[in-house]
């Protein structure tokens, strides 16, 4: 089964990283869902939630703002000025 390699970082630390089945994030263009095999994209984050569905374990929600989301070769990098885990 294909999976995403995900990293969520804030200006001063890594908030979460691991393997995921799906990511949903809010960008300036609206909400975007990322699944394995997604085309490369670079988006500007809007303040809001990033929802991560890990390969194993419970869903993870992070609050992020002032940053961007990058997708390339099943690697998702979310870089935010401020980010923190909510659940």
């Amino acid at each position: 089964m294909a999976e995403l390699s995900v990293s969520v970082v804030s200006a001063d630390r890594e908030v979460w990283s691991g393997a995921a089945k799906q990511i949903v994030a809010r960008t300036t263009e609206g909400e975007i869902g990322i699944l394995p095999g997604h085309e490369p994209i670079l988006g500007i984050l809007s303040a809001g939630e990033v929802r991560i569905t890990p390969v194993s374990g419970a869903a993870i929600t992070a609050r992020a703002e002032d940053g961007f989301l990058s997708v390339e070769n099943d690697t998702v990098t979310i870089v935010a000025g401020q980010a923190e885990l909510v659940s």
Side-chain angles (χ1 to χ4, degrees), residues 5-29:
S5 174
V6 180
S7 180
V8 179
V9 298
S10 69
D12 60 347
R13 64 187 170 91
E14 183 173 71
V15 176
W16 187 86
S17 67
K21 296 186 269 187
Q22 176 181 341
I23 304 293
V24 177
R26 184 176 309 277
T27 70
T28 56
E29 299 294 318

Side-chain angles (χ1 to χ4, degrees), residues 25-42:
R26 184 176 309 277
T27 70
T28 56
E29 299 294 318
E31 251 189 13
I32 185 168
I34 308 294
L35 296 170
H38 198 285
E39 290 292 315
I41 188 170
L42 181 63

Side-chain angles (χ1 to χ4, degrees), residues 9-86:
V9 298
S10 69
D12 60 347
R13 64 187 170 91
E14 183 173 71
V15 176
W16 187 86
S17 67
K21 296 186 269 187
Q22 176 181 341
I23 304 293
V24 177
R26 184 176 309 277
T27 70
T28 56
E29 299 294 318
E31 251 189 13
I32 185 168
I34 308 294
L35 296 170
H38 198 285
E39 290 292 315
I41 188 170
L42 181 63
I44 299 171
L45 290 176
S46 288
E49 292 183 344
V50 175
R51 297 186 306 273
I52 303 166
T53 306
V55 170
S56 60
I60 296 164
T61 303
R63 186 171 296 119
E65 57 184 81
D66 299 329
F68 66 90
L69 166 121
S70 169
V71 179
E72 188 170 5
N73 298 324
D74 288 336
T75 299
V76 180
T77 305
I78 298 168
V79 179
Q82 297 179 359
E84 63 184 0
L85 290 180
V86 177

